[in-house]
Amino acid sequence: MEIGQIIKELRIKNKLTQQALAKNLSIGQSTICEWEKGDYEPTASAIKQLAIFFDVSAGYLLGLEEYDGTKIEQKIPQQIHNDNRRYYLKNINKSKINIK
C-alpha cells in the first residue's frame, strides 16, 4: 500500500478531516490532499510528524511493516525501478523546465 493510502486510512480511522489533520500538523490542507492522491510524498520530517501524531512507526507509514510491526515482504529491485520510472513519467509534465 502507498503512503498516501495509509495516511488516508489513519485519518479516517481517527475521524479527522483533511483540514483537521493539516491543522494538527501545521501544514496546508492541500498538502494532505496531494499526499492522499499520490501526487506528492511527504518529506522525512513530515513522516516523523505523522508517526508521532498517529502513534505508529515510520515503517508502517512507508508500507514496510504491518501495524503490529511485522515486516512486509519487499519488492524486488526491478519492480522498484519500474515504479520510480512510472512516477517520474507521470510527474514530468508537472515540472516547469526552461530549455534555452
Side-chain angles (χ1 to χ4, degrees):
M1 188 179 321
E2 299 294 322
I3 192 167
Q5 294 169 308
I6 294 168
I7 293 168
K8 184 175 184 176
E9 283 184 6
L10 286 168
R11 179 180 61 77
I12 291 169
K13 179 181 174 185
N14 287 276
K15 299 179 179 154
L16 294 167
T17 62
Q18 288 181 345
Q19 188 173 15
L21 178 58
K23 185 176 179 179
N24 278 289
L25 299 176
S26 300
I27 59 174
Q29 181 268 329
S30 61
T31 301
I32 303 293
C33 182
E34 289 169 342
W35 291 346
E36 290 183 0
K37 289 190 317 185
D39 291 343
Y40 297 97
E41 292 185 344
T43 62
S45 60
I47 292 169
K48 182 179 176 181
Q49 280 185 287
L50 287 161
I52 292 167
F53 180 78
F54 287 120
D55 194 25
V56 296
S57 70
Y60 176 72
L61 287 170
L62 294 169
L64 300 173
E65 55 191 45
E66 299 290 347
Y67 190 79
D68 66 1
T70 306
K71 293 198 184 283
I72 295 174
E73 185 177 327
Q74 297 302 304
K75 295 179 179 181
I76 58 170
Q78 185 59 41
Q79 289 173 307
I80 293 170
H81 171 74
N82 290 340
D83 286 353
N84 288 342
R85 186 168 187 270
R86 278 192 289 277
Y87 179 81
Y88 171 78
L89 293 174
K90 175 182 166 188
N91 291 294
I92 194 167
N93 294 329
K94 294 180 183 178
S95 64
K96 296 178 182 177
I97 301 172
N98 294 324
I99 300 174
K100 295 182 181 185

